[in-house]
Amino acid sequence: TEDNTSFVEGNLIIEAKRESVGGSDFTSSRIITSGKQDFQYGRIDIRAVLPEGQGLWPALWMLGSNFDTVGWPFCGEIDIMEMVGGSGRENSVFGTAHWDDAGTPAKFGGTTTKNSGTFNDEFHVFSILWNQNTIRWYVDGQQYHVIDITPEELSELRNEHFLIFNIAVGGTLPGSPDNTTSFPQYMIVDYVRYFQFG
């Protein structure tokens, strides 16, 4: 809902709440740039604090701008950052690319884990460096994953994409919230910076 998004002291706040709306037990929000701003190559930096708790699934990600016409995975997907909440997993984040490989969804991802604390403790910068040859993933300037996107079957990863920020509640990766999950939870975004090559 729009009510789950706000700006506080210059920060974008996405809030996940335990409340019944439209037959669902939780609400959240999703911010998308589709139809407003597309991106192709360059560096994207997102400085954010992540939520925590069983059943929470915050993500900063991208879908191909042709999603409405070709669907997923044919549009391609670039996950700049995903975190799976609960079970002590809030100290790790993932970076993944998804595409179609001859009619079969394909993916290639990497992960990085903090030495101490969680991604809820303080702001971190989640980044990709993207050109016609590779996508590289970083946390706080440290690379932890790279993919070669030159093969023809990965061509959708060389097209324009739009950004999506959201906190999913429940889902295949985190499972459902339980009695250990406290609400509300927040993803706080300080900035999004896009540096275009060229």
Side-chain angles (χ1 to χ4, degrees):
T1 76
E2 290 186 7
D3 292 341
N4 294 70
T5 301
S6 60
F7 286 93
V8 178
E9 297 180 358
N11 294 321
L12 168 67
I13 311 293
I14 298 176
E15 181 177 6
K17 304 176 188 176
R18 187 189 298 271
E19 60 180 354
S20 295
V21 174
S24 297
D25 294 327
F26 305 94
T27 63
S28 186
S29 192
R30 181 173 67 167
I31 311 300
I32 64 173
T33 70
S34 178
K36 303 175 183 72
Q37 180 66 56
D38 296 318
F39 304 88
Q40 184 183 31
Y41 306 146
R43 191 177 92 210
I44 299 174
D45 294 337
I46 303 165
R47 186 173 187 261
V49 173
L50 305 184
E52 64 179 354
Q54 170 59 37
L56 294 177
W57 186 2
L60 308 166
W61 55 299
M62 308 175 81
L63 283 175
S65 300
N66 58 353
F67 170 75
D68 288 340
T69 56
V70 304
W72 185 94
F74 306 97
C75 63
E77 175 181 333
I78 302 169
D79 300 327
I80 300 171
M81 182 288 304
E82 291 181 280
M83 189 207 73
V84 178
S87 301
R89 298 175 292 199
E90 285 103 349
N91 63 342
S92 297
V93 293
F94 301 84
T96 311
H98 300 257
W99 67 95
D100 173 72
D101 185 7
T104 302
K107 67 178 180 179
F108 182 65
T111 186
T112 184
T113 301
K114 287 171 57 70
N115 292 328
S116 63
T118 73
F119 286 98
N120 177 254
D121 293 343
E122 59 186 353
F123 281 98
H124 292 277
V125 180
F126 307 98
S127 308
I128 59 168
L129 191 59
W130 176 26
N131 60 36
Q132 66 270 27
N133 298 315
T134 59
I135 304 171
R136 300 176 184 274
W137 283 260
Y138 300 81
V139 171
D140 296 330
Q142 297 298 309
Q143 180 181 313
Y144 68 93
H145 183 50
V146 62
I147 184 173
D148 177 0
I149 61 171
T150 58
E152 179 56 33
E153 61 267 26
L154 280 74
S155 62
E156 51 265 55
L157 299 176
R158 300 192 296 272
N159 296 331
E160 290 187 338
H161 282 58
F162 61 87
L163 280 169
I164 307 170
F165 297 174
N166 68 279
I167 304 174
V169 182
T172 54
L173 283 180
S176 298
D178 60 22
N179 58 9
T180 69
T181 312
S182 64
F183 286 92
Q185 285 290 326
Y186 305 93
M187 178 158 64
I188 305 169
V189 180
D190 177 25
Y191 61 71
V192 181
R193 294 176 178 168
Y194 174 52
F195 304 87
Q196 187 172 24
F197 297 153

